[in-house]
Amino acid sequence: MSGHSKWSTIKRKKGANDAKRGKLFTKIIRELTISARNGGDETANPQLRAAVQNAKAANMPQATIDRAIRRGTGDEPGAVYEAGVYEGYGPGGVAVMVETLTDNKNRTVAELRHVFSKHNGNLAENGSVAWMFEQRGVIEVEKNGMEEEDLMLAVMDAGAEDLHDSEGIFEVISPVAGFDQVKKALDDNEIAFSQASLAWLPQNMLEVQGKEIEQIIRLLEDLEDLDDVQKVFSNFDIQEEDLQRMTA
């Protein structure tokens, strides 16, 4: 299996401004609310535990985290969100997977279709793209003096499948069934991680060149700017010199 597409690297290098940070908080709050439906106790709810970890990594205030959890458990009123996964194609035939959390599916579909069309892509039927991806757990560990060999020893016995060196962080890849076991191994070895979530990883990459690079980047950015969109995954790939130009 291939690793993350270049999209995750581009996002990380570009960083996030205050407006993006506000949108990130909105997405994390929804993730916390959905996760808390299975119980508000982090020790008994691995999905919630990962969502809380991501919220803290984004420096979300504890009061905001607690309020989102209470909404999920029904102890505080709020919108009811439903998860969805949508598939589409971008410029050059690039495959795109979009995860959403929404309180209005009709609005979400209309917004997705508009963004895809705007950028010379199209929203596709279920199953037309998903076969190109496999769902895996992805845990980001910041380097900060961490030796790759030490990290590998800590996670491989716990069931991790792969380890990628990616621009200042290590990405630990695990099967979905072993995701929590790998996170526990990191905790047991006192190795901090900044993000942990399930991701759709492309099995094969599709190289994009010329003007299509800018087009696919704009498509992915506009998709992620939608309030109902949680995560976007793609199988696009570009040459290293184009990557450096995009993130300069």
Side-chain angles (χ1 to χ4, degrees), residues 4-7 9-10 12-13 165-168 205-210 213 236-248:
H4 262 133
S5 73
K6 290 294 193 302
W7 176 229
T9 303
I10 290 172
R12 193 178 301 116
K13 280 191 167 186
D165 187 334
S166 177
E167 300 296 336
M205 310 297 285
L206 179 63
E207 186 171 318
V208 179
Q209 296 179 332
I213 295 175
F236 91 98
D237 198 5
I238 57 178
Q239 295 290 336
E240 186 62 30
E241 56 267 26
D242 289 320
L243 176 62
Q244 295 300 326
R245 177 174 57 82
M246 292 298 305
T247 57

Side-chain angles (χ1 to χ4, degrees), residues 1-3 133-136 161-162 164 173 201-204:
M1 170 187 292
S2 300
F133 295 79
E134 290 187 3
Q135 195 172 36
R136 289 291 185 270
E161 293 179 326
D162 206 350
H164 298 155
I173 312 298
L201 302 188
Q203 299 185 64
N204 294 289

Side-chain angles (χ1 to χ4, degrees), residues 17-171:
N17 56 31
D18 289 341
K20 295 285 187 182
R21 186 169 182 267
K23 285 186 175 291
L24 175 62
F25 271 24
T26 298
K27 296 176 190 297
I28 292 176
I29 286 170
R30 292 188 183 190
E31 182 183 7
L32 287 164
T33 300
I34 286 287
S35 301
R37 287 182 182 176
N38 296 321
D41 182 1
E42 290 180 51
T43 59
N45 185 344
Q47 184 183 5
L48 177 60
R49 187 161 61 249
V52 170
Q53 171 70 28
N54 294 340
K56 290 180 177 178
N59 295 316
M60 179 176 286
Q62 186 64 46
T64 304
I65 296 174
D66 293 340
R67 186 161 56 250
I69 293 173
R70 288 197 299 271
R71 286 176 181 170
T73 57
D75 295 324
E76 188 169 314
V80 177
Y81 297 109
E82 183 177 354
V85 179
Y86 297 89
E87 305 169 36
Y89 288 98
V94 165
V96 182
M97 297 280 291
V98 184
E99 290 187 351
T100 66
L101 286 177
T102 180
D103 58 352
N104 186 327
K105 292 183 69 174
N106 290 334
R107 178 194 66 222
T108 302
V109 171
E111 290 178 343
L112 289 173
R113 183 172 286 112
H114 172 73
V115 172
F116 272 104
S117 297
K118 177 183 174 183
H119 296 289
N120 299 317
N122 63 281
L123 194 61
E125 296 182 0
N126 290 343
S128 59
V129 165
W131 64 271
M132 304 182 198
F133 295 79
E134 290 187 3
Q135 195 172 36
R136 289 291 185 270
V138 179
I139 306 170
E140 297 183 358
V141 178
E142 295 185 7
K143 290 184 177 178
N144 291 336
M146 168 65 64
E147 294 293 334
E148 183 173 358
E149 184 177 351
D150 293 338
L151 178 58
M152 187 174 294
L153 288 173
V155 299
M156 286 306 176
D157 285 344
E161 293 179 326
D162 206 350
L163 182 64
H164 298 155
D165 187 334
S166 177
E167 300 296 336
I169 67 166
F170 292 115
E171 289 180 338

